[in-house]
Amino acid sequence: MGKPVVVLSNNDGCVVARSQEVKDLGIKMGVPVFRIYELIKRYDVQVYSSNYSLYGDLSGRVMSTLAYFAPDVEIYSIDEAFIDLSGFRYRDLTEYGNEIRQRVLQWVGIPVSVGIAPTKTLAKLANLIAKKSNSGVFDLSVYPSIDEILSQVDVGDIWGVGFKYATWLREKGINTALQLKNADESLIRKKMGIVGVKLQLELRGESCLAMELLDNPKKGTCVSRSFPQSIDTMPELKEAIASFTHRAAEKLRRQKQAASVITVFARTSPFRDNFYSNSATAELDLSTNYTLELSRVAAQLTESIYRKGQNFKKAGVIMTGLVSEKQVQGNLFDVSNDEEKMRSRNLMSVMDTINEIYGRDTLRFATTGVIQVWKTKSEQRSPKYTTCWQDLLEVS
Amino acid sequence: MSTKLELPLQNCSVPAGFPSPAEDYVEHKLDLNSYLVTHPAATFFVRTSGNSMTGAHIHDGDLLIVDRSLEATHGDIVIAVVQGEITVKRLHYQKGEVALVPENAGYKTIFINEHSELHIWGVVTNVIHSIRPKSQKKIRSGRLQ
């Protein structure tokens, strides 16, 4: 116990998660792993590849455990959720937070921190404080002076204030959350628009970001990877993009959604000279989640961003303009007849079913390649303890 | 965006003739999860290795169902972490005495004192044991050949 641990991004490229011991060594978020080999050796840092099926499973367990504590749970990301405690006004919320923390720890084995406050923005700040406290729970609303706390929070640490806004705010002499709370509204509105106004209200304790519950359909889906060795030929790049498209289309079908806009991007290594990055977007006449249709467009887009002599290190596809499968409107120029549509739908559903039973990519289109030079590296992946029979924990 | 009124469309074929008497009694399939798993969020599967628990009908390679939501009490079979090692044993917890007891004469009881670090990882609720040896000649059921 107490060993420094890092987790690397897809392809074992950069550090995406750090244990406290690693932070104490001064290893920064996002640093490429080859830059810290020295430290890794010297301090015996444990290095792991990302293992998203394990993280996804544990995340789902945490979220469903939270659902025991409040009727409304908003899953904000893989490791963050908001729960609405407004119906629990007569309980000691710090105690309730402790209960939640204990329950998740016992059931799933994941330590969580709980921040409690009247608004989402303040709850995020309360959570920052909870994370650093011994108990892991912090209720901002019972604290005698919220302003005193806000005066100690850097403006860049506020939820929704990105690097760009933080820089601008500091130029205007607004360095803390308290200063933002009390800043001139018209100034904030001019620069940050309605988002800034809402932020100020939230900091003053007026809740104006509603709970977004699960029935909100996703707005976009993205599949991207960096390559273990760089890619410099058009066929290889097309192959890689085709398989990302194949994966994204699978995701869409699982969510019963279709995309109307597809974006393809590719870039070279940002750590080398002559950095090149480009993207191209196409709007589809007809929203679809049919792999072949999406691949055809993705291939054309790939041709437009490929540059000879560039060593591509990362690429991806982004599907946006998502609509529910049910809402897909036919259009005037859509010549495919119903029978053909039915056939492609059946083909997709057979393919998805087979891939679900026999494992990812058992069936795929030849355009995604046979050799797949760009296949992701994950040499240090921890076992998929909870999602794969072969990887179960062994006890004796 | 216009809203659409969906009208139900009978899309299964209706063969003329004798209706199936079972039609109204179709139940969903039996699901082992509902029989074996009470708290899905807190339930984990682990694989055993070795023979320290054969007396409790837990054999090498069996699958154990572990529920972390249960409080371990005296007599439970538990997954425990002792001095950083993970093990499956029966928990002895009486009169202030704590021990992890194997169910096989060839193995030693692990006594827990104030110097040893014990963490109960979860309580074993079921063991899934295949009663067919792995390298078995395939015999068509019903007829010995």
Side-chain angles (χ1 to χ4, degrees), chain B residues 3-105:
Chain B
T3 52
K4 276 196 299 193
L5 176 66
E6 302 240 355
L7 295 171
L9 175 72
Q10 202 65 29
N11 91 9
C12 56
S13 59
V14 185
F18 190 70
S20 160
E23 199 103 352
D24 295 341
Y25 300 96
V26 176
E27 292 270 355
H28 57 86
K29 281 193 193 316
L30 287 174
D31 179 4
L32 273 175
N33 282 311
S34 66
Y35 186 75
L36 296 170
V37 178
T38 325
H39 309 101
T43 300
F44 293 82
F45 300 152
V46 302
R47 181 82 61 193
T48 50
S49 71
N51 298 310
S52 69
M53 293 298 285
T54 48
H57 309 290
I58 295 174
H59 299 84
D60 186 35
D62 281 355
L63 180 73
L64 301 180
I65 300 184
V66 183
D67 188 339
R68 290 179 51 112
S69 72
L70 304 174
E71 290 292 335
T73 55
H74 173 74
D76 275 334
I77 292 179
V78 297
I79 306 292
V81 183
V82 196
Q83 318 291 54
E85 295 281 316
I86 189 152
T87 180
V88 53
K89 294 288 176 288
R90 195 178 291 280
L91 177 68
H92 171 93
Y93 186 28
Q94 261 185 333
K95 299 175 193 131
E97 260 191 354
V98 184
L100 294 170
V101 187
E103 296 262 344
N104 180 334

Side-chain angles (χ1 to χ4, degrees), chain A residues 326-340:
Chain A
K326 293 196 203 94
Q327 296 169 355
V328 176
Q329 307 284 346
N331 86 2
L332 213 52
F333 306 102
D334 174 31
V335 286
S336 62
N337 56 28
D338 283 355
E339 195 180 325
E340 203 174 311

